[in-house]
Amino acid sequence: MSGNEQKYICEAFETNWIAPLGPNVDEFEKEFATYVGTEGAASLSSGTAAIHLALELIGIGRGDIVFCSTLTFVASANPILYLGAEPIFIDSEEETWNMSPIALTRALEEAQANGKLPKAVIVVNLYGQSAKFDELLEICNEFGVPIVEDAAESLGSLYKGKQSGTLGHFGIYSFNGNKIITTSGGGMLVSNDLNALDRSRFLSAQARDLASHYQHSTIGYNYRMSNILAGVGRAQLQVLNERVKARRQVFDRYAEALGSITGVHFMPELQGTFSNRWLTALTLDPKVIQITPFDLIKKLELENIEARPVWKPLHLQPLFEACKFYPHEERVIVSEKLFAEGLCLPSGSNLTIQQQDRIIIIIKRLLMTQLLQVEIG
Ligand SMILES: *Cc1c(COP(=O)(O)O)cnc(C)c1O
């Protein structure tokens, strides 16, 4: 927390606005839309809820197809299933780790040939790095398919000067406890389509018709953010730029200390983009480094250091076993390689230099002994 949260929470208590409505909610939405530069924003109970509503607003229902990045957290795709639609997963490319324009083109061409285009494409910006939006937008526009931009991990990142999350028809963000700013739990839906955002507010508050009695003609949800949590969000938004700076510094220190080790490759930052570096991610080349990321994570755990694997691609998840998947190239599956070779290091905005130095020394030691064994043969 930044320290200012109490002020907004107290205001909510003093005015007795303890509800999923109220002045903090309205102000948080306005301040957020101003920050990212969209016409409007609707605050919700989670990022997952925001994806669900974005798909619903596009009109996705039973039997429809939705394309989605495969290298992501399961929440990107679960809402496709909520709506009874069918997910099809698209591989990553190496320069951003995000959706491959080549795989997307192939998938759209095939879908068109089969006479059934997807109703939306969910593009994820992994660990803060923006996907190749120029290419992805051009392809999607050609086929007339809207993009939902999952910017849950990339708030504060830029793509060619534009805020991450504002490049698709809808953008979604998460304020879950692990994200760069948090309301403990929460999310945001952004768009330049104010009517659609109004509709999302209606749907997120149980879809109550304009009548004095309780009348309902469509299915609604209880997805609004509470006025107390919106107060937390307002204070968090004020420190977002500092958080981005801190996370980038964490990344830079890791990259400087470990980047020259043979076989260590840090997640790239595509030219013209600016990543919030939500998590510092890297890969270990198995041709040079003997230890797998999974074993390194276990060894770090013994030192009380929590590292994590890269998200397991969704097309490999038992939940999505029956779903179609389009690799980057015929025999090149980039997401599987990133999963097998990648890991995320402790990257909190409040990580101290001393803590980070300790992590670096231990990783260096673990990697160097592995390298040595390779050289000795
Ligand atoms: C965290 C996350 C979500 C879900 O957000 P919640 O607020 O936890 O529902 C969706 N997509 C990605 C890529 C995420 O990292």
Side-chain angles (χ1 to χ4, degrees):
M1 293 288 104
S2 70
N4 263 339
E5 288 81 3
Q6 295 287 351
K7 180 182 133 217
Y8 296 110
I9 294 172
C10 282
E11 269 174 30
F13 273 76
E14 277 157 17
T15 54
N16 212 20
W17 277 107
I18 314 297
L21 283 171
N24 277 335
V25 169
D26 297 341
E27 288 306 312
F28 185 35
E29 290 181 349
K30 273 191 217 141
E31 289 160 4
F32 195 90
T34 303
Y35 182 91
V36 298
T38 50
E39 291 293 320
S43 55
L44 297 164
S45 53
S46 71
T48 311
I51 298 171
H52 188 183
L53 289 180
L55 296 180
E56 170 110 34
L57 290 165
I58 289 170
I60 285 148
R62 200 156 291 282
D64 288 335
I65 292 172
V66 178
F67 287 1
C68 182
S69 304
T70 193
L71 192 59
T72 182
F73 180 51
V74 69
S76 300
N78 267 337
I80 304 170
L81 300 184
Y82 300 168
L83 291 163
E86 177 194 339
I88 291 181
F89 295 106
I90 312 293
D91 201 10
S92 304
E93 46 79 24
E94 302 233 347
E95 286 181 316
T96 65
W97 297 18
N98 289 310
M99 189 179 281
S100 156
I102 296 171
L104 177 64
T105 304
R106 196 156 14 88
L108 282 169
E109 281 168 358
E110 260 191 55
Q112 192 168 51
N114 293 337
K116 195 170 175 190
L117 281 170
K119 283 244 180 106
V121 178
I122 301 171
V123 177
V124 179
N125 301 313
L126 205 69
Y127 303 139
Q129 171 57 52
S130 182
K132 291 185 170 175
F133 264 89
D134 280 350
E135 290 89 335
L136 297 173
L137 278 168
E138 194 187 322
I139 299 161
C140 285
N141 287 341
E142 192 187 317
F143 287 86
V145 183
I147 289 182
V148 174
E149 188 178 3
D150 181 345
E153 301 176 1
S154 62
L155 174 57
S157 302
L158 299 172
Y159 180 83
K160 303 198 172 170
K162 285 192 187 146
Q163 283 288 330
S164 190
T166 66
L167 293 129
H169 286 69
F170 290 102
I172 78 91
Y173 302 89
S174 166
F175 310 120
N176 196 48
N178 58 341
K179 299 304 197 297
I180 195 154
I181 61 168
T182 181
T183 58
S184 74
M188 193 71 84
L189 178 66
V190 300
S191 176
N192 291 325
D193 182 345
L194 292 181
N195 289 332
L197 290 180
D198 275 345
R199 177 89 184 153
S200 82
R201 290 190 188 94
F202 166 76
L203 291 173
S204 67
Q206 308 285 21
R208 188 175 162 190
D209 292 341
L210 275 177
S212 59
H213 50 283
Y214 284 81
Q215 180 175 295
H216 303 270
S217 356
T218 34
I219 300 175
Y221 306 95
N222 185 3
Y223 276 175
R224 286 296 269 168
M225 179 182 277
S226 90
N227 193 51
I228 295 175
L229 296 186
V232 176
R234 292 182 69 188
Q236 288 274 295
L237 193 58
Q238 293 165 2
V239 296
L240 172 57
N241 290 343
E242 281 167 41
R243 295 280 165 87
V244 172
K245 209 172 141 201
R247 299 248 173 179
R248 285 184 63 90
Q249 275 169 356
V250 165
F251 178 93
D252 289 345
R253 274 191 237 120
Y254 280 130
E256 194 174 319
L258 305 170
S260 58
I261 300 175
T262 325
V264 171
H265 301 288
F266 281 84
M267 185 178 187
E269 188 175 43
L270 185 72
Q271 204 180 6
T273 68
F274 175 86
S275 171
N276 68 11
R277 295 295 191 190
W278 174 57
L279 293 186
T280 291
L282 65 150
T283 55
L284 306 178
D285 183 349
K287 290 193 284 295
V288 190
I289 296 174
Q290 297 261 289
I291 191 167
T292 67
F294 301 93
D295 287 335
L296 182 62
I297 289 166
K298 269 191 222 134
K299 293 232 160 101
L300 289 171
E301 212 170 275
L302 298 175
E303 304 278 356
N304 202 24
I305 294 167
E306 189 189 18
R308 299 254 181 104
V310 165
W311 298 126
K312 177 171 179 164
L314 296 186
H315 72 275
L316 297 179
Q317 298 285 357
L319 175 63
F320 298 112
E321 215 167 36
C323 297
K324 246 198 202 154
F325 164 68
Y326 286 87
H328 179 56
E329 283 167 43
E330 207 85 26
R331 263 177 296 274
V332 186
I333 305 183
V334 175
S335 56
E336 290 185 12
K337 184 167 178 279
L338 291 170
F339 174 57
E341 298 177 9
L343 76 156
C344 302
L345 299 180
S347 312
S349 319
N350 55 357
L351 192 71
T352 65
I353 293 183
Q354 289 77 6
Q355 287 170 327
Q356 202 181 349
D357 281 346
R358 183 176 159 262
I359 298 165
I360 286 168
I361 289 167
I362 291 169
I363 292 176
K364 258 190 182 161
R365 200 176 64 213
L366 290 168
L367 290 182
M368 288 310 193
T369 46
Q370 292 301 319
L371 277 173
L372 214 61
Q373 284 169 8
V374 179
E375 276 157 25
I376 295 164

mmCIF file of all heavy atoms in Angstrom, residues 44-51 71-77 79 82 122-127 150-154 172-179 184-188 278 311, ligand 1:
data_model
loop_
_atom_site.group_PDB
_atom_site.id
_atom_site.type_symbol
_atom_site.label_atom_id
_atom_site.label_comp_id
_atom_site.label_asym_id
_atom_site.label_seq_id
_atom_site.Cartn_x
_atom_site.Cartn_y
_atom_site.Cartn_z
ATOM 1 N N LEU A 44 -14.759 -3.132 -11.782
ATOM 2 C CA LEU A 44 -15.436 -4.411 -11.566
ATOM 3 C C LEU A 44 -14.765 -5.201 -10.450
ATOM 4 O O LEU A 44 -13.717 -4.785 -9.942
ATOM 5 C CB LEU A 44 -15.412 -5.217 -12.872
ATOM 6 C CG LEU A 44 -16.156 -4.566 -14.041
ATOM 7 C CD1 LEU A 44 -15.758 -5.206 -15.360
ATOM 8 C CD2 LEU A 44 -17.666 -4.646 -13.839
ATOM 9 N N SER A 45 -15.345 -6.327 -10.120
ATOM 10 C CA SER A 45 -14.855 -7.108 -8.986
ATOM 11 C C SER A 45 -13.577 -7.890 -9.312
ATOM 12 O O SER A 45 -12.873 -8.321 -8.410
ATOM 13 C CB SER A 45 -15.939 -8.077 -8.516
ATOM 14 O OG SER A 45 -16.401 -8.851 -9.608
ATOM 15 N N SER A 46 -13.272 -8.075 -10.599
ATOM 16 C CA SER A 46 -12.031 -8.766 -10.968
ATOM 17 C C SER A 46 -11.713 -8.555 -12.447
ATOM 18 O O SER A 46 -12.583 -8.141 -13.225
ATOM 19 C CB SER A 46 -12.142 -10.275 -10.693
ATOM 20 O OG SER A 46 -13.030 -10.881 -11.612
ATOM 21 N N GLY A 47 -10.495 -8.889 -12.808
ATOM 22 C CA GLY A 47 -10.110 -8.854 -14.217
ATOM 23 C C GLY A 47 -10.856 -9.925 -15.004
ATOM 24 O O GLY A 47 -11.232 -9.721 -16.152
ATOM 25 N N THR A 48 -11.076 -11.062 -14.370
ATOM 26 C CA THR A 48 -11.818 -12.147 -15.021
ATOM 27 C C THR A 48 -13.235 -11.684 -15.363
ATOM 28 O O THR A 48 -13.738 -11.946 -16.462
ATOM 29 C CB THR A 48 -11.883 -13.382 -14.083
ATOM 30 O OG1 THR A 48 -10.573 -13.645 -13.594
ATOM 31 C CG2 THR A 48 -12.410 -14.599 -14.806
ATOM 32 N N ALA A 49 -13.865 -10.979 -14.426
ATOM 33 C CA ALA A 49 -15.211 -10.434 -14.672
ATOM 34 C C ALA A 49 -15.177 -9.476 -15.854
ATOM 35 O O ALA A 49 -16.105 -9.449 -16.679
ATOM 36 C CB ALA A 49 -15.721 -9.722 -13.423
ATOM 37 N N ALA A 50 -14.112 -8.690 -15.958
ATOM 38 C CA ALA A 50 -13.997 -7.728 -17.061
ATOM 39 C C ALA A 50 -13.902 -8.450 -18.401
ATOM 40 O O ALA A 50 -14.524 -8.034 -19.387
ATOM 41 C CB ALA A 50 -12.776 -6.828 -16.835
ATOM 42 N N ILE A 51 -13.152 -9.554 -18.455
ATOM 43 C CA ILE A 51 -13.070 -10.331 -19.705
ATOM 44 C C ILE A 51 -14.440 -10.925 -20.034
ATOM 45 O O ILE A 51 -14.907 -10.866 -21.172
ATOM 46 C CB ILE A 51 -12.014 -11.461 -19.585
ATOM 47 C CG1 ILE A 51 -10.626 -10.867 -19.335
ATOM 48 C CG2 ILE A 51 -12.000 -12.323 -20.852
ATOM 49 C CD1 ILE A 51 -9.563 -11.901 -18.991
ATOM 50 N N LEU A 71 -0.133 -18.660 -24.174
ATOM 51 C CA LEU A 71 0.813 -18.490 -23.063
ATOM 52 C C LEU A 71 0.265 -17.429 -22.114
ATOM 53 O O LEU A 71 0.573 -16.242 -22.229
ATOM 54 C CB LEU A 71 2.194 -18.084 -23.590
ATOM 55 C CG LEU A 71 3.321 -18.164 -22.550
ATOM 56 C CD1 LEU A 71 3.494 -19.563 -21.991
ATOM 57 C CD2 LEU A 71 4.636 -17.664 -23.112
ATOM 58 N N THR A 72 -0.558 -17.858 -21.172
ATOM 59 C CA THR A 72 -1.205 -16.921 -20.254
ATOM 60 C C THR A 72 -1.764 -17.670 -19.063
ATOM 61 O O THR A 72 -1.756 -18.896 -19.006
ATOM 62 C CB THR A 72 -2.326 -16.137 -20.979
ATOM 63 O OG1 THR A 72 -2.902 -15.190 -20.061
ATOM 64 C CG2 THR A 72 -3.433 -17.060 -21.470
ATOM 65 N N PHE A 73 -2.252 -16.900 -18.124
ATOM 66 C CA PHE A 73 -2.950 -17.425 -16.946
ATOM 67 C C PHE A 73 -4.352 -17.870 -17.381
ATOM 68 O O PHE A 73 -4.940 -17.271 -18.278
ATOM 69 C CB PHE A 73 -3.015 -16.304 -15.901
ATOM 70 C CG PHE A 73 -3.706 -16.670 -14.626
ATOM 71 C CD1 PHE A 73 -3.354 -17.819 -13.925
ATOM 72 C CD2 PHE A 73 -4.694 -15.850 -14.107
ATOM 73 C CE1 PHE A 73 -3.979 -18.130 -12.733
ATOM 74 C CE2 PHE A 73 -5.321 -16.158 -12.911
ATOM 75 C CZ PHE A 73 -4.977 -17.300 -12.226
ATOM 76 N N VAL A 74 -4.853 -18.896 -16.739
ATOM 77 C CA VAL A 74 -6.119 -19.525 -17.142
ATOM 78 C C VAL A 74 -7.294 -18.534 -17.187
ATOM 79 O O VAL A 74 -8.242 -18.707 -17.959
ATOM 80 C CB VAL A 74 -6.440 -20.720 -16.197
ATOM 81 C CG1 VAL A 74 -6.783 -20.229 -14.791
ATOM 82 C CG2 VAL A 74 -7.537 -21.593 -16.762
ATOM 83 N N ALA A 75 -7.208 -17.469 -16.389
ATOM 84 C CA ALA A 75 -8.326 -16.505 -16.329
ATOM 85 C C ALA A 75 -8.577 -15.814 -17.664
ATOM 86 O O ALA A 75 -9.678 -15.337 -17.912
ATOM 87 C CB ALA A 75 -8.046 -15.452 -15.252
ATOM 88 N N SER A 76 -7.556 -15.769 -18.544
ATOM 89 C CA SER A 76 -7.764 -15.155 -19.863
ATOM 90 C C SER A 76 -8.835 -15.917 -20.644
ATOM 91 O O SER A 76 -9.574 -15.334 -21.420
ATOM 92 C CB SER A 76 -6.472 -15.185 -20.686
ATOM 93 O OG SER A 76 -5.447 -14.488 -20.034
ATOM 94 N N ALA A 77 -8.885 -17.232 -20.463
ATOM 95 C CA ALA A 77 -9.742 -18.065 -21.312
ATOM 96 C C ALA A 77 -10.982 -18.619 -20.609
ATOM 97 O O ALA A 77 -11.950 -18.991 -21.274
ATOM 98 C CB ALA A 77 -8.923 -19.227 -21.874
ATOM 99 N N PRO A 79 -13.511 -17.250 -19.158
ATOM 100 C CA PRO A 79 -14.796 -16.626 -19.534
ATOM 101 C C PRO A 79 -15.345 -17.115 -20.881
ATOM 102 O O PRO A 79 -16.551 -17.070 -21.107
ATOM 103 C CB PRO A 79 -14.461 -15.128 -19.583
ATOM 104 C CG PRO A 79 -13.324 -14.977 -18.624
ATOM 105 C CD PRO A 79 -12.508 -16.222 -18.808
ATOM 106 N N TYR A 82 -17.381 -19.860 -19.772
ATOM 107 C CA TYR A 82 -18.596 -19.409 -19.055
ATOM 108 C C TYR A 82 -19.733 -19.190 -20.049
ATOM 109 O O TYR A 82 -20.891 -19.395 -19.741
ATOM 110 C CB TYR A 82 -18.401 -18.073 -18.338
ATOM 111 C CG TYR A 82 -17.331 -17.983 -17.278
ATOM 112 C CD1 TYR A 82 -16.946 -16.737 -16.788
ATOM 113 C CD2 TYR A 82 -16.710 -19.104 -16.740
ATOM 114 C CE1 TYR A 82 -15.978 -16.610 -15.811
ATOM 115 C CE2 TYR A 82 -15.731 -18.982 -15.765
ATOM 116 C CZ TYR A 82 -15.368 -17.727 -15.314
ATOM 117 O OH TYR A 82 -14.400 -17.583 -14.359
ATOM 118 N N ILE A 122 -8.693 -12.722 -28.011
ATOM 119 C CA ILE A 122 -8.167 -12.212 -26.737
ATOM 120 C C ILE A 122 -6.647 -12.218 -26.828
ATOM 121 O O ILE A 122 -6.023 -13.277 -26.947
ATOM 122 C CB ILE A 122 -8.638 -13.067 -25.546
ATOM 123 C CG1 ILE A 122 -10.171 -13.084 -25.482
ATOM 124 C CG2 ILE A 122 -8.044 -12.553 -24.237
ATOM 125 C CD1 ILE A 122 -10.738 -14.079 -24.466
ATOM 126 N N VAL A 123 -6.068 -11.021 -26.800
ATOM 127 C CA VAL A 123 -4.610 -10.881 -26.905
ATOM 128 C C VAL A 123 -4.058 -10.492 -25.534
ATOM 129 O O VAL A 123 -4.484 -9.497 -24.943
ATOM 130 C CB VAL A 123 -4.228 -9.797 -27.938
ATOM 131 C CG1 VAL A 123 -2.715 -9.616 -27.986
ATOM 132 C CG2 VAL A 123 -4.775 -10.145 -29.310
ATOM 133 N N VAL A 124 -3.118 -11.289 -25.043
ATOM 134 C CA VAL A 124 -2.552 -11.056 -23.709
ATOM 135 C C VAL A 124 -1.191 -10.375 -23.828
ATOM 136 O O VAL A 124 -0.413 -10.680 -24.738
ATOM 137 C CB VAL A 124 -2.394 -12.401 -22.960
ATOM 138 C CG1 VAL A 124 -1.794 -12.191 -21.576
ATOM 139 C CG2 VAL A 124 -3.733 -13.116 -22.875
ATOM 140 N N ASN A 125 -0.914 -9.451 -22.923
ATOM 141 C CA ASN A 125 0.401 -8.795 -22.838
ATOM 142 C C ASN A 125 1.131 -9.379 -21.627
ATOM 143 O O ASN A 125 0.965 -8.919 -20.504
ATOM 144 C CB ASN A 125 0.243 -7.291 -22.681
ATOM 145 C CG ASN A 125 -0.524 -6.673 -23.826
ATOM 146 O OD1 ASN A 125 -0.256 -6.957 -24.985
ATOM 147 N ND2 ASN A 125 -1.494 -5.843 -23.507
ATOM 148 N N LEU A 126 1.919 -10.386 -21.889
ATOM 149 C CA LEU A 126 2.510 -11.198 -20.827
ATOM 150 C C LEU A 126 3.571 -10.453 -20.008
ATOM 151 O O LEU A 126 4.481 -9.847 -20.568
ATOM 152 C CB LEU A 126 3.156 -12.413 -21.489
ATOM 153 C CG LEU A 126 3.309 -13.648 -20.646
ATOM 154 C CD1 LEU A 126 1.969 -14.268 -20.338
ATOM 155 C CD2 LEU A 126 4.210 -14.647 -21.352
ATOM 156 N N TYR A 127 3.468 -10.579 -18.688
ATOM 157 C CA TYR A 127 4.478 -10.046 -17.759
ATOM 158 C C TYR A 127 4.788 -8.565 -18.018
ATOM 159 O O TYR A 127 5.876 -8.092 -17.680
ATOM 160 C CB TYR A 127 5.772 -10.869 -17.835
ATOM 161 C CG TYR A 127 5.566 -12.349 -17.555
ATOM 162 C CD1 TYR A 127 6.207 -13.318 -18.295
ATOM 163 C CD2 TYR A 127 4.706 -12.758 -16.532
ATOM 164 C CE1 TYR A 127 6.014 -14.672 -18.042
ATOM 165 C CE2 TYR A 127 4.498 -14.107 -16.276
ATOM 166 C CZ TYR A 127 5.152 -15.058 -17.027
ATOM 167 O OH TYR A 127 4.951 -16.395 -16.777
ATOM 168 N N ASP A 150 -6.082 -8.230 -23.044
ATOM 169 C CA ASP A 150 -5.904 -8.617 -21.649
ATOM 170 C C ASP A 150 -4.617 -7.961 -21.139
ATOM 171 O O ASP A 150 -3.513 -8.471 -21.346
ATOM 172 C CB ASP A 150 -5.838 -10.143 -21.540
ATOM 173 C CG ASP A 150 -5.670 -10.625 -20.100
ATOM 174 O OD1 ASP A 150 -5.328 -9.801 -19.229
ATOM 175 O OD2 ASP A 150 -5.866 -11.828 -19.854
ATOM 176 N N ALA A 151 -4.816 -6.811 -20.473
ATOM 177 C CA ALA A 151 -3.685 -6.043 -19.949
ATOM 178 C C ALA A 151 -3.591 -6.202 -18.429
ATOM 179 O O ALA A 151 -3.077 -5.325 -17.736
ATOM 180 C CB ALA A 151 -3.820 -4.576 -20.345
ATOM 181 N N ALA A 152 -4.072 -7.356 -17.939
ATOM 182 C CA ALA A 152 -4.068 -7.604 -16.485
ATOM 183 C C ALA A 152 -2.658 -7.453 -15.898
ATOM 184 O O ALA A 152 -2.504 -7.013 -14.767
ATOM 185 C CB ALA A 152 -4.603 -8.996 -16.192
ATOM 186 N N GLU A 153 -1.650 -7.804 -16.705
ATOM 187 C CA GLU A 153 -0.272 -7.772 -16.205
ATOM 188 C C GLU A 153 0.506 -6.562 -16.725
ATOM 189 O O GLU A 153 1.675 -6.409 -16.413
ATOM 190 C CB GLU A 153 0.452 -9.069 -16.633
ATOM 191 C CG GLU A 153 -0.242 -10.312 -16.111
ATOM 192 C CD GLU A 153 0.388 -11.614 -16.594
ATOM 193 O OE1 GLU A 153 1.394 -11.568 -17.324
ATOM 194 O OE2 GLU A 153 -0.138 -12.680 -16.237
ATOM 195 N N SER A 154 -0.133 -5.740 -17.551
ATOM 196 C CA SER A 154 0.658 -4.717 -18.261
ATOM 197 C C SER A 154 0.164 -3.291 -18.042
ATOM 198 O O SER A 154 0.430 -2.413 -18.861
ATOM 199 C CB SER A 154 0.682 -5.038 -19.761
ATOM 200 O OG SER A 154 -0.623 -5.016 -20.300
ATOM 201 N N ILE A 172 -8.834 -4.883 -20.626
ATOM 202 C CA ILE A 172 -9.154 -5.277 -19.246
ATOM 203 C C ILE A 172 -7.893 -5.230 -18.400
ATOM 204 O O ILE A 172 -6.782 -5.475 -18.868
ATOM 205 C CB ILE A 172 -9.817 -6.678 -19.173
ATOM 206 C CG1 ILE A 172 -8.795 -7.816 -19.309
ATOM 207 C CG2 ILE A 172 -10.951 -6.844 -20.181
ATOM 208 C CD1 ILE A 172 -8.243 -8.283 -17.993
ATOM 209 N N TYR A 173 -8.095 -4.899 -17.127
ATOM 210 C CA TYR A 173 -6.999 -4.838 -16.149
ATOM 211 C C TYR A 173 -7.418 -5.588 -14.896
ATOM 212 O O TYR A 173 -8.607 -5.778 -14.648
ATOM 213 C CB TYR A 173 -6.700 -3.377 -15.783
ATOM 214 C CG TYR A 173 -6.342 -2.499 -16.954
ATOM 215 C CD1 TYR A 173 -7.334 -1.829 -17.662
ATOM 216 C CD2 TYR A 173 -5.021 -2.344 -17.360
ATOM 217 C CE1 TYR A 173 -7.025 -1.012 -18.746
ATOM 218 C CE2 TYR A 173 -4.691 -1.536 -18.437
ATOM 219 C CZ TYR A 173 -5.697 -0.866 -19.126
ATOM 220 O OH TYR A 173 -5.381 -0.068 -20.185
ATOM 221 N N SER A 174 -6.413 -5.970 -14.117
ATOM 222 C CA SER A 174 -6.688 -6.651 -12.854
ATOM 223 C C SER A 174 -6.016 -5.904 -11.707
ATOM 224 O O SER A 174 -4.903 -5.399 -11.860
ATOM 225 C CB SER A 174 -6.143 -8.078 -12.902
ATOM 226 O OG SER A 174 -6.114 -8.642 -11.611
ATOM 227 N N PHE A 175 -6.704 -5.845 -10.579
ATOM 228 C CA PHE A 175 -6.103 -5.291 -9.354
ATOM 229 C C PHE A 175 -6.037 -6.370 -8.283
ATOM 230 O O PHE A 175 -6.208 -6.111 -7.091
ATOM 231 C CB PHE A 175 -6.914 -4.089 -8.852
ATOM 232 C CG PHE A 175 -7.201 -3.068 -9.917
ATOM 233 C CD1 PHE A 175 -8.508 -2.753 -10.255
ATOM 234 C CD2 PHE A 175 -6.170 -2.433 -10.591
ATOM 235 C CE1 PHE A 175 -8.784 -1.824 -11.245
ATOM 236 C CE2 PHE A 175 -6.432 -1.501 -11.586
ATOM 237 C CZ PHE A 175 -7.746 -1.194 -11.909
ATOM 238 N N ASN A 176 -5.825 -7.603 -8.734
ATOM 239 C CA ASN A 176 -5.635 -8.706 -7.796
ATOM 240 C C ASN A 176 -4.369 -8.440 -6.970
ATOM 241 O O ASN A 176 -3.520 -7.638 -7.372
ATOM 242 C CB ASN A 176 -5.513 -10.018 -8.589
ATOM 243 C CG ASN A 176 -5.699 -11.229 -7.717
ATOM 244 O OD1 ASN A 176 -6.651 -11.287 -6.940
ATOM 245 N ND2 ASN A 176 -4.793 -12.179 -7.820
ATOM 246 N N GLY A 177 -4.249 -9.126 -5.841
ATOM 247 C CA GLY A 177 -3.159 -8.858 -4.907
ATOM 248 C C GLY A 177 -1.765 -8.978 -5.492
ATOM 249 O O GLY A 177 -0.831 -8.341 -5.012
ATOM 250 N N ASN A 178 -1.598 -9.775 -6.543
ATOM 251 C CA ASN A 178 -0.260 -9.981 -7.103
ATOM 252 C C ASN A 178 0.072 -8.997 -8.225
ATOM 253 O O ASN A 178 1.183 -9.018 -8.745
ATOM 254 C CB ASN A 178 -0.139 -11.416 -7.640
ATOM 255 C CG ASN A 178 -1.184 -11.730 -8.711
ATOM 256 O OD1 ASN A 178 -2.197 -11.050 -8.810
ATOM 257 N ND2 ASN A 178 -0.937 -12.749 -9.499
ATOM 258 N N LYS A 179 -0.846 -8.135 -8.615
ATOM 259 C CA LYS A 179 -0.603 -7.275 -9.761
ATOM 260 C C LYS A 179 0.154 -5.996 -9.364
ATOM 261 O O LYS A 179 0.393 -5.756 -8.190
ATOM 262 C CB LYS A 179 -1.928 -6.941 -10.451
ATOM 263 C CG LYS A 179 -2.669 -8.188 -10.978
ATOM 264 C CD LYS A 179 -1.813 -9.003 -11.926
ATOM 265 C CE LYS A 179 -2.547 -9.993 -12.802
ATOM 266 N NZ LYS A 179 -3.269 -11.090 -12.165
ATOM 267 N N SER A 184 -6.752 -5.388 -3.502
ATOM 268 C CA SER A 184 -6.897 -6.738 -2.923
ATOM 269 C C SER A 184 -7.555 -7.656 -3.939
ATOM 270 O O SER A 184 -7.103 -8.755 -4.187
ATOM 271 C CB SER A 184 -7.602 -6.767 -1.562
ATOM 272 O OG SER A 184 -8.977 -6.541 -1.681
ATOM 273 N N GLY A 185 -8.650 -7.218 -4.514
ATOM 274 C CA GLY A 185 -9.263 -7.915 -5.649
ATOM 275 C C GLY A 185 -10.046 -6.884 -6.423
ATOM 276 O O GLY A 185 -10.698 -6.025 -5.827
ATOM 277 N N GLY A 186 -9.962 -6.944 -7.739
ATOM 278 C CA GLY A 186 -10.718 -5.967 -8.531
ATOM 279 C C GLY A 186 -10.267 -5.983 -9.968
ATOM 280 O O GLY A 186 -9.281 -6.649 -10.315
ATOM 281 N N GLY A 187 -11.013 -5.278 -10.796
ATOM 282 C CA GLY A 187 -10.655 -5.221 -12.212
ATOM 283 C C GLY A 187 -11.248 -3.995 -12.867
ATOM 284 O O GLY A 187 -12.020 -3.250 -12.244
ATOM 285 N N MET A 188 -10.850 -3.773 -14.122
ATOM 286 C CA MET A 188 -11.363 -2.607 -14.854
ATOM 287 C C MET A 188 -11.561 -2.993 -16.310
ATOM 288 O O MET A 188 -10.754 -3.730 -16.889
ATOM 289 C CB MET A 188 -10.358 -1.455 -14.742
ATOM 290 C CG MET A 188 -10.856 -0.098 -15.171
ATOM 291 S SD MET A 188 -12.050 0.665 -14.064
ATOM 292 C CE MET A 188 -11.014 1.446 -12.832
ATOM 293 N N TRP A 278 6.393 -6.230 -15.004
ATOM 294 C CA TRP A 278 5.649 -6.744 -13.843
ATOM 295 C C TRP A 278 6.406 -7.884 -13.185
ATOM 296 O O TRP A 278 6.589 -7.901 -11.975
ATOM 297 C CB TRP A 278 4.248 -7.186 -14.278
ATOM 298 C CG TRP A 278 3.476 -7.850 -13.203
ATOM 299 C CD1 TRP A 278 3.175 -7.323 -11.963
ATOM 300 C CD2 TRP A 278 2.923 -9.163 -13.219
ATOM 301 N NE1 TRP A 278 2.466 -8.245 -11.229
ATOM 302 C CE2 TRP A 278 2.297 -9.381 -11.970
ATOM 303 C CE3 TRP A 278 2.877 -10.188 -14.166
ATOM 304 C CZ2 TRP A 278 1.636 -10.565 -11.642
ATOM 305 C CZ3 TRP A 278 2.217 -11.367 -13.851
ATOM 306 C CH2 TRP A 278 1.608 -11.539 -12.600
ATOM 307 N N TRP A 311 3.950 -19.288 -17.186
ATOM 308 C CA TRP A 311 2.607 -19.886 -17.284
ATOM 309 C C TRP A 311 2.638 -21.126 -18.178
ATOM 310 O O TRP A 311 3.215 -21.092 -19.270
ATOM 311 C CB TRP A 311 1.599 -18.910 -17.907
ATOM 312 C CG TRP A 311 1.328 -17.637 -17.173
ATOM 313 C CD1 TRP A 311 1.427 -16.377 -17.700
ATOM 314 C CD2 TRP A 311 0.879 -17.459 -15.822
ATOM 315 N NE1 TRP A 311 1.074 -15.446 -16.760
ATOM 316 C CE2 TRP A 311 0.749 -16.075 -15.594
ATOM 317 C CE3 TRP A 311 0.586 -18.330 -14.771
ATOM 318 C CZ2 TRP A 311 0.323 -15.551 -14.378
ATOM 319 C CZ3 TRP A 311 0.169 -17.799 -13.557
ATOM 320 C CH2 TRP A 311 0.051 -16.428 -13.369
HETATM 321 C C1 LIG B 1 -4.413 -11.882 -13.124
HETATM 322 C C2 LIG B 1 -4.787 -12.135 -14.514
HETATM 323 C C3 LIG B 1 -6.126 -12.184 -14.937
HETATM 324 C C4 LIG B 1 -7.290 -12.214 -13.996
HETATM 325 O O1 LIG B 1 -7.463 -11.143 -13.159
HETATM 326 P P1 LIG B 1 -8.250 -11.336 -11.790
HETATM 327 O O2 LIG B 1 -8.426 -9.940 -11.307
HETATM 328 O O3 LIG B 1 -7.388 -12.149 -10.888
HETATM 329 O O4 LIG B 1 -9.556 -12.005 -12.092
HETATM 330 C C5 LIG B 1 -6.393 -12.328 -16.284
HETATM 331 N N1 LIG B 1 -5.406 -12.426 -17.178
HETATM 332 C C6 LIG B 1 -4.112 -12.408 -16.824
HETATM 333 C C7 LIG B 1 -3.063 -12.497 -17.895
HETATM 334 C C8 LIG B 1 -3.760 -12.284 -15.481
HETATM 335 O O5 LIG B 1 -2.463 -12.307 -15.129
#
